[in-house]
Each structure stands twice: as C-alpha cells, then as structure tokens.
Amino acid sequence: MTPVRMGVLSCADIARRRLLPAMAAHRDIELVAVASRNGDRAAKVARAFGCHAVRGYDALLRRDDLDAVYVPLPVALHSEWASAALCSGRHVLVEKPLAVTADRAAELLELARQRGLVLAENVMFVHHHQHRVVKGMLERGEIGELRGVRAAFSIPTLPEGNIRYRPELGGGALWDVGLYPVRLALHMLGLELDVVGAALTSSPGQEVDTSGAALLVQTSTGIFAQLDWGLQHAYRSAYELVGSTGRIVVDRAFTPPADYEPLLQVERDGAVEERRLEPDDQVANALTAFVAAVRGVSSTTDAVLQRQIQLLDGIRSAALT
C-alpha cells in the first residue's frame, strides 16, 4: 500500500526528538518535507532525516506532494495552522492540545468532517499497551470494583524563556502537563466526567500557571479522579487505580521510552505483586493509528477529544472562581 506522504510544520523539539525519527522509520509513512521560518534551520533538520527543507509554513502547504501534515507548533498556533492544513486538503496530526477552547476545537472537528479529512490530536500515551493491560485487569475484577483514580504528571523547572512559560504562546502547566492526567481519567472512566473543583497556581515571577490540581467525578457511579500536575516539580508520571479489594500502580505512565519495560504493581490483601511487561513504542503506535485513520481502517476519537477540551475548560473556569 502507498505510504502516507507527510509534511511537518516546524522544527520543534518534540518533532526533532520523537516524531521525525519515528516518521522516518515508519514503513507506512514517507517523510517528504519539514518547514521552518528559518531556512537554515529547516535545511539542517531536513538533512538529518533525508527529506526536503521548506522555508515558511505557507510554502509547505502549497506543495502538491503531501497527504498529511503534522503540527508541533506552540499551543497558541495549533488551531490556526491545523485549520490552514485542513483547508489545503490535508489530513492533520496536531500536538496537544488541539485548541485552547472547546468551541474552537468543535469548529476544527466540524471543518475536518465537512472536508472528509482526519484531524487527530497527538496524545501518544493512550497507544501504549500497558494501559490496555491495565484495563483488562479491571475488566477481570483483579482489584474488585473500581473506586477511584489518582494521576499525576510533573516535570522539573525548564530554562528561562521556554515557550511553556510564555502566555502569548499558550504556555502554562494545564495545557502542557495537566492534559495527561485528564486524558488518563477519560481513558479509564469514559466520557461521563464532570469537574467538581480545581486550582491553578503560578510560581513567583511567572505569568502562566505552573501547577494545578483537579477533582473529577464520574456522574453515573460517583467514582472520583484526583489529578495533579506541575512544571517546576520533581519528575512524576504515574497513576493509581483503587478498587474495592486492591489497587494497581503504574509508573512511567505517560512518556516511557520505546525500550522501557513497564512495571505494574498490584496490591491485594497486604501483598504486592510486580508484573513486568514487554517494551512498547507509543510514538510508532500513535503514527500507526493515524495512518489507519487516514486510510479509513479506523476512526479518530473525536468525542474523547471534545470532552477533553471541555474538561480542561471546566478546570480553568473552576480555578478562577
């Protein structure tokens, strides 16, 4: 089958470190071109990955040899360039979050639907097999009935001037790291989640939120999800599922490298069992899922994406009241 021909809008760090190497290695993707506002930068990155260099994002969208576009720009530019790529007739894979308001996300999803194009948000962790294993354990009742979810994602302080600290570029902990625990709650509990309460705080001298916490509830069962996140904290990437007879703890939950062997901890009756899983490449898996959607083999999760943005909106609103 013909590979999906991809172009990349920006030489962002996430693209250089993770997505471009994965695209170059993927058998069902042909990496055609990478664009930057800086021509020298585009040329350097293109040489590293064996593709064409393009100066300017509009110039990339004017090419006639692309089926799809990946958008790893700063958050504030996601919706603008996702829209431009859709209007150029290309399928779009955009870094998270797709947009910073639920209304804008809905507009983009409707635009994609009208044009018969795929619009997918690049939340990669949901494609790692460790979470499928955990959901299977829940379905088999290995910890009894699910009673609660706890999830956290935090990273150490970034260099001064990093885009995550710049409000005009859509910076802030909620959009960057808070999205992960929220998506985990949706992944485990489904769409019927509401925001009970939330808080966002900023470190001295920062113009964006640098930490936050939220309490969500599954409306049909009353199961709570306790979530927290931060940009200036010791690294943490984990979740815990608490059941009526035990609990499951998952570490390195959101950004495990491809060679990492996940370790699940299952606690029951005072005893802890450790289960080591095979490594899995969530970046390659995310690209495979996107290709399948482009080819019409599978569909994207528009309802999850919309509910995720609505919950992020709700968290920000609750934190401001």
Side-chain angles (χ1 to χ4, degrees), residues 47-300:
R47 281 195 300 271
F49 295 101
C51 64
H52 297 286
V54 179
R55 182 174 182 178
Y57 307 142
D58 284 317
L60 185 134
L61 295 182
R62 288 195 296 268
R63 294 181 69 97
D64 60 5
D65 55 356
L66 300 176
D67 303 309
V69 171
Y70 167 54
V71 182
L73 291 160
V75 170
L77 301 177
H78 286 180
S79 64
E80 173 188 350
W81 286 100
S83 177
L86 290 169
C87 289
S88 76
R90 276 51 177 260
H91 305 285
V92 177
L93 177 66
V94 60
E95 271 306 319
K96 48 79 185 168
L98 167 61
V100 295
T101 69
D103 288 345
R104 182 58 176 149
E107 290 172 1
L108 290 168
L109 290 168
E110 177 59 18
L111 176 62
R113 188 194 65 77
Q114 290 175 357
R115 292 177 174 264
L117 297 168
V118 172
L119 174 59
E121 188 181 57
N122 194 37
V123 179
M124 294 183 287
F125 83 86
V126 297
H127 299 285
H128 197 289
H129 75 160
Q130 65 178 330
H131 312 297
R132 186 168 61 251
V133 171
V134 169
K135 292 183 84 169
M137 294 166 66
L138 287 177
E139 291 168 1
R140 291 190 298 272
E142 293 196 27
I143 59 170
E145 295 182 3
L146 185 61
R147 297 288 193 242
V149 176
R150 302 185 184 111
F153 190 29
S154 57
I155 61 175
T157 301
L158 299 158
E160 187 176 351
N162 187 279
I163 61 171
R164 294 168 181 84
Y165 296 142
R166 296 176 60 182
E168 74 277 13
L169 294 179
L174 177 61
W175 302 128
D176 190 66
V177 289
L179 181 147
Y180 289 85
V182 170
R183 185 58 172 266
L184 185 279
L186 282 166
H187 195 64
M188 293 297 170
L189 297 175
L191 301 180
E192 294 183 3
L193 286 172
D194 288 326
V195 179
V196 177
L200 297 172
T201 60
S202 299
S203 299
Q206 296 294 344
E207 298 180 76
V208 299
D209 54 290
T210 53
S211 63
L215 181 64
L216 311 183
V217 64
Q218 187 181 45
T219 52
S220 60
T221 64
I223 295 174
F224 287 108
Q226 302 174 54
L227 317 175
D228 65 85
W229 57 89
L231 288 176
Q232 297 181 325
H233 302 59
Y235 180 78
R236 191 177 179 206
S237 174
Y239 66 89
E240 175 185 357
L241 305 178
V242 180
S244 57
T245 61
R247 66 189 186 110
I248 302 169
V249 178
V250 182
D251 201 7
R252 300 295 294 274
F254 301 122
T255 58
D259 60 354
Y260 174 70
E261 296 181 352
L263 181 65
L264 309 181
Q265 291 186 325
V266 186
E267 182 180 321
R268 289 175 296 196
D269 301 322
V272 177
E273 174 192 354
E274 294 186 342
R275 300 186 189 179
R276 182 73 67 178
L277 305 181
E278 293 294 320
D280 196 25
D281 188 343
Q282 65 184 34
V283 183
N285 294 348
L287 290 174
T288 297
F290 179 69
V291 169
V294 167
R295 290 175 172 172
V297 176
S298 67
S299 60
T300 54

